[in-house]
Amino acid sequence: MANTSLPPEHIGDGLGATRAPRALLLAQGSNSVGDGAFYVTSALYFTEIVGLSAAQVGAGLAVAWAVGSTAGVPLGALADRRGPRGTSALLALVTALAVGAFLLVGSFPAFLAAATLYASAQTGLAAARQALLAGLVAPAARTAVLARLQAVLNAGLAVGAALGGIALHAGTRGAYLTVFALDALGFLLCALLLARLPAPVPAAAGPVPESRRSGWGADVLRDRPYVLLTLLNAVMLLRMPVLSLALPLWITQRTAAPGWTVSALFVLNTVAVTLFQVRAARSVTGTDTAARAVREAGAVMGAACAVFAVTALPGLGAGPAVLVLVLGSVLLVAAEMRHSAGSWQLGLGLAPADRVGAYQGFYGAGVPVARTLGPLVVTTLLVGGGPAGWLLLGGVFAAAGAATGPAARRAARPAPRTAPVPAP
């Protein structure tokens, strides 16, 4: 069998240098369309077709993502030890199986088991794919490739959401099951594309002695600067439930804006990321520029929150409320794109080359944490606290963004991270 490994001198320095970035883009697109359809239909399928209560669905997803957030590190470590290409393909297959398992769900325990498998496989797949990208794409080109992946992801989710809307309109069990089958097929195609990529050359072992290495990647927890960076990133990711949950509730309960504003702002966000994410990431080329991007994102998120707080002013009519909400949403999506670019660069660039999978599994845990705890935090602050809650949340974003720079500089210092640890 021919050796398909990429020697270091042939690792791509841009999208056209190797077929790896293009294959990664195709893999991203193949599963994002199905995911978009799945996201908009799954809740109604489980409640209206399967017969679960909304509370059961919410609790099951919270538990599933909580478990999934802990699975990222060991599954990422598996990618480091066994190779990110094969691990990524395997986890894509497992995700397809988990989606297929949803077709057989008829009770809450079965739903919980399938959802936990789905969340764990998704979290591990994200870590393994980041390790695969790090092995196939030169450091200087990674943020640009990740920006294109994000744009493809948003475009795919938008197409999938439209297809899911057709299924929702039909409202039949067959329509819902077709959506699930589409999502499963997307992950099967993703697995095939990932398996056909060249295998990255294994990185040289870092300075931590083998005797102190954890086979499941737990040594990342001893890297305190990186842990702090991960926590700050998780705080910044609270922007996710702001768009998906807090704003819809705020618009309908605390403003005079019409209900259609919710979907309009979602479309605005999706289109903006699809069109401008690559441009927003161009200036991010290293640790310093990444930290600057996150700091700017925190400040702009704070401004967006202040703008949203204005919509609760008494006497603000429907038209002005819509304009203010659009302004806040433009600021929010601009901050999102800058934060994403800076976060990608910091998470990958500050991870040891031979432990990217485990480190990305830990760093990426901020996403399921935001999905699990974020709704409680933002609804308590915003729906319960009103304008003051918006201002407090904006201050938290600005503080987290400002603290990221010092944390990144500390994580980048060679002495604390690379000094040999004496064997016990």
Side-chain angles (χ1 to χ4, degrees), residues 67-214:
V67 174
S69 67
T70 66
V73 172
L75 291 174
L78 178 66
D80 294 331
R81 295 171 68 89
R82 300 296 183 185
R85 180 185 63 174
T87 305
S88 298
L90 176 62
L91 289 171
L93 284 174
V94 174
T95 306
L97 290 174
V99 174
F102 284 132
L103 300 175
L104 307 176
V105 165
S107 64
F108 177 71
F111 166 71
L112 181 60
T116 301
L117 179 63
Y118 174 81
S120 300
Q122 281 272 50
T123 305
L125 176 59
R129 285 167 84 162
Q130 292 291 77
L132 181 60
L133 183 147
L136 295 176
V137 179
R142 289 173 187 168
T143 300
V145 174
L146 284 165
R148 286 171 169 80
L149 287 170
Q150 185 70 14
V152 169
L153 171 64
N154 275 266
L157 290 176
V159 172
L163 296 175
I166 297 174
L168 289 176
H169 179 72
T172 64
R173 181 181 181 88
Y176 285 116
L177 297 186
T178 300
V179 166
F180 282 65
L182 174 65
D183 199 18
L185 288 174
F187 278 103
L188 288 175
L189 178 57
C190 174
L192 177 62
L193 290 167
L194 294 174
R196 291 174 60 85
L197 281 168
V201 176
V208 178
E210 190 66 31
S211 61
R212 297 297 298 272
R213 290 175 179 268
S214 166

Side-chain angles (χ1 to χ4, degrees), residues 22-42:
R22 180 176 299 176
L24 290 170
L25 290 170
L26 290 173
Q28 180 77 290
S30 68
N31 65 258
S32 62
V33 173
D35 269 352
F38 174 81
Y39 292 154
V40 301
T41 59
S42 57

Side-chain angles (χ1 to χ4, degrees), residues 355-385:
R355 285 169 283 162
V356 172
Y359 270 62
Q360 281 296 294
F362 182 70
Y363 193 76
V367 173
V369 167
R371 286 175 173 168
T372 304
L373 300 180
L376 176 62
V377 172
V378 298
T379 53
T380 300
L381 274 178
L382 307 182
V383 179

Side-chain angles (χ1 to χ4, degrees), residues 394-417:
V396 169
F397 283 140
T404 296
R409 288 191 291 272
R410 184 182 173 199
R413 291 175 185 171
R417 290 171 55 85

Side-chain angles (χ1 to χ4, degrees), residues 48-380:
E48 296 186 2
I49 304 299
V50 177
L52 301 177
S53 68
Q56 285 178 316
V57 173
L61 290 176
V63 171
W65 283 111
V67 174
S69 67
T70 66
V73 172
L75 291 174
L78 178 66
D80 294 331
R81 295 171 68 89
R82 300 296 183 185
R85 180 185 63 174
T87 305
S88 298
L90 176 62
L91 289 171
L93 284 174
V94 174
T95 306
L97 290 174
V99 174
F102 284 132
L103 300 175
L104 307 176
V105 165
S107 64
F108 177 71
F111 166 71
L112 181 60
T116 301
L117 179 63
Y118 174 81
S120 300
Q122 281 272 50
T123 305
L125 176 59
R129 285 167 84 162
Q130 292 291 77
L132 181 60
L133 183 147
L136 295 176
V137 179
R142 289 173 187 168
T143 300
V145 174
L146 284 165
R148 286 171 169 80
L149 287 170
Q150 185 70 14
V152 169
L153 171 64
N154 275 266
L157 290 176
V159 172
L163 296 175
I166 297 174
L168 289 176
H169 179 72
T172 64
R173 181 181 181 88
Y176 285 116
L177 297 186
T178 300
V179 166
F180 282 65
L182 174 65
D183 199 18
L185 288 174
F187 278 103
L188 288 175
L189 178 57
C190 174
L192 177 62
L193 290 167
L194 294 174
R196 291 174 60 85
L197 281 168
V201 176
V208 178
E210 190 66 31
S211 61
R212 297 297 298 272
R213 290 175 179 268
S214 166
W216 295 103
D219 48 315
V220 65
L221 300 177
R222 294 190 287 270
D223 191 338
R224 293 181 180 178
Y226 197 87
V227 169
L228 175 60
L229 197 64
T230 301
L231 292 176
L232 291 171
N233 186 58
V235 172
M236 296 289 285
L237 286 172
L238 289 176
R239 60 175 171 75
M240 297 168 61
V242 168
L243 178 67
S244 63
L245 179 63
L247 270 178
L249 293 174
W250 178 263
I251 289 170
T252 56
Q253 296 181 13
R254 303 295 290 267
T255 78
W260 56 259
T261 310
V262 173
S263 58
L265 296 183
F266 182 82
V267 171
L268 170 66
N269 180 276
T270 302
V271 172
V273 173
T274 302
L275 295 178
F276 301 114
Q277 179 66 79
V278 175
R279 182 178 301 176
R282 283 176 182 166
S283 63
V284 178
T285 56
T287 300
D288 290 340
T289 53
R292 185 183 308 122
V294 175
R295 182 178 68 249
E296 293 170 355
V300 176
M301 283 184 198
C305 289
V307 170
F308 288 136
V310 171
T311 59
L313 290 175
L316 192 67
V322 170
L323 292 177
V324 174
L325 287 167
V326 169
L327 173 60
S329 297
V330 169
L331 292 173
L332 185 64
V333 72
E336 174 187 339
M337 291 186 289
R338 288 293 283 167
H339 169 248
S340 294
S343 174
W344 297 329
Q345 179 68 36
L346 294 175
L348 275 176
L350 297 176
D354 63 319
R355 285 169 283 162
V356 172
Y359 270 62
Q360 281 296 294
F362 182 70
Y363 193 76
V367 173
V369 167
R371 286 175 173 168
T372 304
L373 300 180
L376 176 62
V377 172
V378 298
T379 53
T380 300

